[in-house]
Amino acid sequence: MAQIIDGKVISQIIKNELRLQVQDLQSKGKKCTLVVIQVGNDPASSVYVANKKKACEYIGISSRSYELPEETPEQQLLELIDELNNDAGVHGILCQLPLPKHINEKRVINRISPQKDVDGFHPQNVGALMIGEQGFVSCTPAGIIELLKRSDVEIEGRHCVIIGRSNIVGKPMAMLMLRENATVTVCHSKTKDLQNICRQADILIVAMGKPKYITRDYIKEGAVVIDVGIHRDASNKLCGDVDYKDVEPVCSAITPVPGGVGPMTICMLMKNCIDAMKDYS
Ligand code: NAD
């Protein structure tokens, strides 16, 4: 039977560690503040924002939120970001994506100060990751590295295949695995013979956004499988990009959905926020 990589348990351990760090900083008179901006009321975004606030409360990070109407002009959002960039009491700024169609996402991401960009989406932070310099790393891939390390999965020298090349998961994931000395292959929608490439993976990280796409035919016996996808199946149950029931018997370790990668993302956001205060205040 495969080892279940339990993101719920691991994220709770990290949250408790972060809570202690925040208590220590507070005893030195330092208070960490995260600002979350939501434009419009996309229901999924509202759930994510509420979860982020809950995590902040647990850890002891002060959170402030701006819930702006759907029709907010881009200029108004950019001015709010400028104001928060200049506010020394704000350490992290996060603008919940997706934004309404009339707002240029790239312009918004680029406007957040790289020192407060706790999502790790600003080109300066992306570039820093690329050349191995200090900066904020996108939270989902950073969380996956924590999951692997804390589950004693060896990374160095192993072949890691990543399915997906998005800016927030696939590409930063590839950079982080390289940093950990894995041999990395990145696959995407134009990759030929995906199955054959996946079957060469010691560690397979799936972020393709296709429910239950990856079956045991894609898995080398004993591989470690990390499932980033989140979907609702026909019976409205949460599932990932990996067909868990089919794959679990042939791999050595696997993340479930829910309770695998998901809980780690918010955890890493909290960590970035604390780092923002430690590094730059
Ligand atoms: P995306 O849609 O931006 O990227 C999907 C990637 O998969 C693309 O690079 C595409 O080329 C590749 N792809 C699609 N079909 C393919 C195929 N048939 N063969 C090979 N590659 C293929 O998605 P994303 O933002 O990277 O997210 C991926 C999944 O992870 C989604 O289900 C998303 O909901 C989920 N997600 C979860 C978390 C979390 O915290 N657990 C965070 C971010 C994203």
Side-chain angles (χ1 to χ4, degrees), residues 140 163-166 168-169 188-189 194 207-210 213 228-231 241 261-262 265:
T140 300
I163 315 181
R165 57 173 165 185
S166 70
I168 62 166
V169 186
H188 47 78
S189 54
L194 182 69
M208 63 197 301
K210 297 258 166 7
Y213 191 96
V228 186
I230 315 176
H231 316 274
D241 289 347
V261 173
T265 300

Side-chain angles (χ1 to χ4, degrees), residues 188-202:
H188 47 78
S189 54
K190 303 282 186 273
T191 297
K192 293 199 168 73
D193 202 4
L194 182 69
Q195 192 171 312
N196 185 34
I197 298 170
C198 291
R199 286 184 71 91
Q200 295 169 39
D202 300 312

Side-chain angles (χ1 to χ4, degrees), residues 225-239:
V225 180
I226 304 292
D227 188 357
V228 186
I230 315 176
H231 316 274
R232 292 221 173 251
D233 68 11
S235 48
N236 208 32
K237 272 178 66 183
L238 285 174
C239 70

Side-chain angles (χ1 to χ4, degrees), residues 120-131:
F121 294 166
H122 191 284
Q124 187 174 311
N125 284 318
V126 176
L129 173 63
M130 186 86 181
I131 58 173

Side-chain angles (χ1 to χ4, degrees), residues 164-182:
R165 57 173 165 185
S166 70
N167 288 339
I168 62 166
V169 186
K171 283 181 198 157
M173 191 73 247
M175 287 303 128
L176 287 175
M177 290 306 270
L178 270 181
R179 194 190 266 189
E180 298 296 331
N181 295 319

